[in-house]
């Protein structure tokens, strides 16, 4: 057992209000610079919708992530040979139109325009050319319009839905959408790391944060196309790739990442997960529909004496193990099984997990009135967001996996409703308790609704000065496209 510790996250989508405070915090902290205008290391998109950059989930277009026939694992964009051929021209990059042309407004005109009959206006101007533009796209262009035909119809995750399901989704009176905050997943099997010809991207051994060494980066941009989540960006001003750094300077000085600190909906949880690095390759080759469960199986129980002993042998310190035992992420993902990775079929083993949105499936509308008392497990079949769509997003298309999560979430909601309002039938309460027992339902409710920042975010103190720097990668397949990719070992904290 090769135990690693990773700082990982859960985003509770029922709590996200789509305020974009997280995105703005990140922009002010890290990407308010020349060449980074169009970058949103953290963005929030409306789903169903095409997202940012548009159609990022369509891997036919950008060849991101890994592919596997069950026996081998290789980057969708190709191995070392192809990467060499494309080194001076990468054909799989998103274009500026896929992102948007960043713009600002001529605010000065509001103050300095000569006196006239009309109100002065601030015209939009391109932040790249400085010339006036007519904006046609933006990082959240389809905000709150995700359910509308115009945008939602092009969502790649609608693949496989019947015409009837699509009609149900787009019918104006039933239109439903939710917000999906996204940042780099700091994946276990990061495609960006494996694709880099310069070995500039690496995963820190001590906490799993994936970083771009700016001195080594040569701007080949293989990472931009290889990341299936499109969370590496090219800075056209300095000629280097950049990405979310999980606010490591803040984390190392005892602060939490900016987007977590500022999250208005308190949807973000952060904590240590332990996993067995020896299983990365075999897990990443598993059929798509089994990947979400297989990734959950890789996560180790931090209270298991065998795991503790193996973790100590791997150099993981006691205070990291202590933090792992108090990890809210472990509870959501492993104990309660209500958080799933986004698009596990990309095979990067992402380390942000999502509690899928419950809201659209619970209330039953009768004569135009939402009747919560009528809500029960049967409401799952009448979900306004088709389960197949949610399965495409969070379970590699496995509807049984997503149904199991929803049954647990509904069981918690029914028990809380019974406790606080008292209008749930006794038979439904009993059925709910068989799904999730009363103690666990209370714990899930507490963690979802009542916790303080200290319980939502549990990080061990970092002593960066004690860390061991990168050594040769132990997973030879990581070098399939890069040349001598490195991964730091688990560090003695
Ligand atoms: S989300 Fe993309 S950029 Fe982040 S670690 Fe995974 S593959 Fe790399
Ligand atoms: S700050 Fe929190 S609630 Fe607001 S959009 Fe971001 S993740 Fe959602």
């Amino acid at each position: 057992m090769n135990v690693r510790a990773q700082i990982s996250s859960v985003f509770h989508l029922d709590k996200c209000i789509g305020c974009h405070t997280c995105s703005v915090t990140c922009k002010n902290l890290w990407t308010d610079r020349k060449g980074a205008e169009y970058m949103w290391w953290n963005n929030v998109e409306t789903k169903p919708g095409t997202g940012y950059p548009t159609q990022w989930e369509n891997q036919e277009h950008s060849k991101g992530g890994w592919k596997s026939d069950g026996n081998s694992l290789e980057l969708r964009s190709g191995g070392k040979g192809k990467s060499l051929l494309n080194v001076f021209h990468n054909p799989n990059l998103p274009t500026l139109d896929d992102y948007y042309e960043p713009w600002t407004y001529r605010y000065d005109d509001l103050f300095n325009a000569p006196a006239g009959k009309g109100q002065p206006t601030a015209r939009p101007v391109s932040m790249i050319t400085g010339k006036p533009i007519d904006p046609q796209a933006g990082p959240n262009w389809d905000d709150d319009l995700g359910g509308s035909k115009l945008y939602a119809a092009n969502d790649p995750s609608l693949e496989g839905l019947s015409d009837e399901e699509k009609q149900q989704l787009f019918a104006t009176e039933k239109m439903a959408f939710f917000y999906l905050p996204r940042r780099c997943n700091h994946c276990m099997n990061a495609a960006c790391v494996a694709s880099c010809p310069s070995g500039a991207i690496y995963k820190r051994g001590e906490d799993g944060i994936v970083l771009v060494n700016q001195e080594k980066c040569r701007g080949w941009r293989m990472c931009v196309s290889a990341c299936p989540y499109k969370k590496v960006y090219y800075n056209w001003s300095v000629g280097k790739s950049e990405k979310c750094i999980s606010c490591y300077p803040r984390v190392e000085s005892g602060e939490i990442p900016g987007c977590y600190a500022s999250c208005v909906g308190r949807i973000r949880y952060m904590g240590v997960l332990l996993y067995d690095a020896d299983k990365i390759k075999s897990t990443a080759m598993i059929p798509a529909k089994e990947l979400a469960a297989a990734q959950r199986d890789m996560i180790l129980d931090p209270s298991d004496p065998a795991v503790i002993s193996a973790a100590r042998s791997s150099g993981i310190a006691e205070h990291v193990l202590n933090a792992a035992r108090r990890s809210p992420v472990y509870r959501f993902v492993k104990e309660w099984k209500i958080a799933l990775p986004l698009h596990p079929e990309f095979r990067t083993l992402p380390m942000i997990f999502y509690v899928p949105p419950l809201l659209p499936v619970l209330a039953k509308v009768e004569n135009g009135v939402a009747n919560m008392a009528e809500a029960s497990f049967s409401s799952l079949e009448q979900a306004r967001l088709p389960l197949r769509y949610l399965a495409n997003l969070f379970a590699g298309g496995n509807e049984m996996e997503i149904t199991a999560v929803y049954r647990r979430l509904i069981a918690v909601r029914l028990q809380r409703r019974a406790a606080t309002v008292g209008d749930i039938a006794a038979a439904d309460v009993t059925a709910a308790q068989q799904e999730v027992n009363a103690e666990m339902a209370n714990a899930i409710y507490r963690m979802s609704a009542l916790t303080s920042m200290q319980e939502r975010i549990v990080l061990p103190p970092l002593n960066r000065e004690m860390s061991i720097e990168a050594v040769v990668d132990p997973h030879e397949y990581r070098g399939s496209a890069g040349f001598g990719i490195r991964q730091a070992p688990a560090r003695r904290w």
Side-chain angles (χ1 to χ4, degrees), residues 6 65-66 182-195 201-203 208-212 223-224 226-233 242-244 348-352:
Q6 162 123 16
W66 301 84
R182 298 201 303 118
R183 57 178 278 249
C184 167
N185 294 282
H186 298 278
C187 310
M188 279 194 242
N189 187 36
C192 59
V193 174
S195 70
I201 309 190
Y202 62 103
K203 188 168 174 68
I209 295 176
V210 174
L211 297 170
V212 184
C223 51
V224 176
C227 170
Y229 300 93
K230 291 293 158 282
K231 281 295 170 190
V232 192
Y233 303 84
E242 296 180 5
K243 62 178 288 302
C244 161
T348 61
L349 307 179
M351 291 303 266
I352 294 181

Side-chain angles (χ1 to χ4, degrees), residues 6 40 52 58-59 62 88 121 160 162 189 269 307-308 332 340 400 416 456 474 479:
Q6 162 123 16
W40 293 88
Y52 160 83
N58 181 356
Q59 302 310 333
S62 59
F88 293 110
T121 56
S162 65
N189 187 36
Y269 300 77
V307 171
I308 293 171
F332 273 113
L340 296 169
M400 281 168 63
R416 290 308 306 163
R456 288 199 307 278

Side-chain angles (χ1 to χ4, degrees), residues 110-357:
L110 297 178
F111 304 102
N112 302 327
K117 284 186 183 167
Q119 289 277 1
T121 56
R123 288 187 69 184
V125 287
S126 166
M127 289 175 83
I128 296 175
T129 64
K131 294 184 177 156
I133 60 167
D134 179 17
Q136 297 293 326
N140 59 341
W141 199 250
D142 55 357
D143 210 18
D144 293 355
L145 293 171
S148 74
K149 273 186 199 167
L150 187 61
Y151 294 102
N154 298 318
D155 185 329
S157 293
L158 292 172
E159 194 186 328
L161 266 68
S162 65
D163 287 346
E164 197 184 331
E165 283 172 317
K166 284 183 190 165
Q167 266 175 8
Q168 180 196 359
L169 191 59
F170 300 147
T172 307
E173 69 278 11
K174 290 183 179 171
M175 203 170 86
F177 63 80
F178 64 94
Y179 301 109
L180 182 72
R182 298 201 303 118
R183 57 178 278 249
C184 167
N185 294 282
H186 298 278
C187 310
M188 279 194 242
N189 187 36
C192 59
V193 174
S195 70
C196 176
S198 317
I201 309 190
Y202 62 103
K203 188 168 174 68
R204 297 209 310 191
E206 65 264 42
D207 51 20
I209 295 176
V210 174
L211 297 170
V212 184
N213 181 328
Q214 293 290 297
E215 284 179 14
K216 285 189 177 176
C217 177
R218 295 286 170 268
W220 303 123
R221 284 170 273 177
M222 297 302 164
C223 51
V224 176
S225 45
C227 170
Y229 300 93
K230 291 293 158 282
K231 281 295 170 190
V232 192
Y233 303 84
Y234 179 68
N235 184 317
W236 55 269
S237 175
V238 296
K240 310 271 183 183
S241 290
E242 296 180 5
K243 62 178 288 302
C244 161
I245 57 174
S246 209
C247 282
Y248 76 83
R250 286 175 59 90
V251 170
E252 286 173 11
S253 58
E255 300 289 335
I256 62 175
C259 54
Y260 291 68
S262 65
C263 176
V264 175
R266 302 178 180 186
I267 83 155
R268 295 173 178 235
Y269 300 77
M270 198 173 225
V272 173
L273 286 182
L274 303 179
Y275 66 92
D276 184 356
D278 285 342
K279 291 192 176 159
I280 291 178
K281 185 177 181 184
S282 57
T283 303
M285 293 197 300
I286 277 172
K289 288 190 174 177
E290 296 162 31
L291 266 168
Q295 186 177 352
R296 187 164 57 228
D297 289 345
M298 278 181 74
I299 295 165
L300 301 169
D301 179 355
S303 303
D304 180 339
V307 171
I308 293 171
S309 161
R312 285 176 182 149
S313 307
S314 300
I316 297 173
E318 291 308 314
H319 58 280
V320 179
L321 293 175
N322 283 339
R325 281 190 282 275
R326 292 183 292 120
S327 169
V329 179
Y330 181 82
R331 305 196 82 185
F332 273 113
V333 177
K334 188 83 176 183
E335 266 182 47
W336 301 334
K337 298 185 178 61
I338 55 172
L340 296 169
L342 179 63
H343 286 302
E345 74 278 12
F346 296 163
R347 302 181 186 280
T348 61
L349 307 179
M351 291 303 266
I352 294 181
F353 301 84
Y354 291 84
V355 178

Side-chain angles (χ1 to χ4, degrees), residues 15-23 42 44 181 259 262-268:
K15 300 171 73 183
C16 180
I17 56 172
C19 62
H20 300 273
T21 312
C22 46
S23 305
N42 183 104
V44 183
C259 54
S262 65
C263 176
V264 175
R266 302 178 180 186
I267 83 155
R268 295 173 178 235

